Amino acid sequence: MIIISFFLKLISCLYHLPRTIKNWRHERNICKKFTKRGLRYNIMSSAKIIFNDGSSASDIELGEYVTIYGTIHSQSGGKVQMGDYTRLGNNSIIRSVEKVLIGSYTAIADNVVIADNGNHPIDPVFRRKMKEDTLDGPMRLWKNAEHAPVIIGENVWICENVRINRGVTIGDNSIIAAGAIVTHDVPANVIVGGLPAKIIKHID
């Protein structure tokens, strides 16, 4: 029985070996795309870091024990900093053309969008001309849209399907309820929710 158990475990290890190697290579490649401020990281197979228009690994800084399931996208030198023990959930994305700062111990759930820019400019004439540019053309860059830094404090909990817009600051320990759209600053120690997000409750 011991020999059979050993061989079953060996077969299981060999079966999963290609996936393990693939995940290791993926994690290694992702770790080359950010500046390390720690030693330990959880880089999942779904994690992506994307650069455009001159951005590089020096624009992304991740602290100790950061967990990444989602996507970090920097354009035109946009900065993204995530503090120690932070988490970016599945299908969540951070889009930066200026600056997104996230404090330590902050948890970002699945399907969250954090953007320091409006993606497209407001000017209707510009947007019309933009459509005539190539898909990767300079008129489509986020720097042509309105942008302002996003600052998220420590120990913040951002629930599923939240959107945080440009120029927003969120205070320490606050909770953003599922489905909220945050368009204005959120003080520390509150729960906010709704479209647009408003204070629901103060946390003692």
Side-chain angles (χ1 to χ4, degrees):
M1 289 296 294
I2 295 174
I3 295 174
I4 292 172
S5 177
F6 170 78
F7 276 106
L8 287 174
K9 289 180 180 178
L10 179 62
I11 291 168
S12 177
C13 288
L14 291 173
Y15 177 79
H16 290 100
L17 184 60
R19 182 186 299 174
T20 301
I21 293 172
K22 182 180 178 181
N23 289 343
W24 176 79
R25 286 177 176 170
H26 175 73
E27 180 176 349
R28 187 179 175 190
N29 288 335
I30 292 293
C31 284
K32 293 177 182 178
K33 293 186 174 183
F34 64 85
T35 301
K36 296 179 181 178
R37 294 288 180 256
L39 299 175
R40 300 173 296 168
Y41 296 91
N42 293 318
I43 307 299
M44 303 305 170
S45 60
S46 56
K48 296 178 184 176
I49 295 180
I50 302 170
F51 300 124
N52 294 112
D53 195 41
S55 290
S56 67
S58 63
D59 296 313
I60 313 294
E61 296 183 11
L62 304 184
E64 175 79 358
Y65 220 74
V66 169
T67 299
I68 304 291
Y69 288 89
T71 300
I72 299 173
H73 192 165
S74 170
Q75 266 191 24
S76 310
K79 310 297 182 187
V80 176
Q81 295 178 13
M82 297 179 68
D84 298 343
Y85 296 92
T86 53
R87 177 190 187 276
L88 182 65
N90 273 311
N91 298 315
S92 291
I93 184 167
I94 298 171
R95 295 200 299 250
S96 177
V97 73
E98 190 166 330
K99 185 184 294 184
V100 176
L101 304 180
I102 299 169
S104 297
Y105 297 93
T106 286
I108 302 167
D110 300 343
N111 305 307
V112 172
V113 176
I114 301 172
D116 69 1
N117 62 87
N119 195 269
H120 298 317
I122 294 173
D123 178 22
V125 176
F126 191 103
R127 283 188 287 116
R128 191 179 185 94
K129 290 180 179 178
M130 180 185 71
K131 297 295 192 298
E132 298 173 357
D133 197 3
T134 58
L135 291 177
D136 58 350
M139 294 188 75
R140 293 179 181 267
L141 293 172
W142 300 334
K143 63 185 179 183
N144 297 315
E146 291 188 18
H147 48 85
V150 173
I151 300 173
I152 300 171
E154 294 190 357
N155 199 34
V156 174
W157 178 15
I158 302 172
C159 298
E160 292 182 346
N161 302 304
V162 166
R163 181 180 178 94
I164 299 174
N165 286 351
R166 63 186 179 273
V168 165
T169 295
I170 298 174
D172 296 346
N173 305 315
S174 285
I175 299 171
I176 314 300
I181 297 180
V182 185
T183 59
H184 295 90
D185 290 353
V186 174
N189 300 296
V190 297
I191 301 173
V192 301
L195 311 172
K198 296 180 180 179
I199 295 175
I200 298 171
K201 182 179 179 180
H202 291 266
I203 302 171
D204 296 331

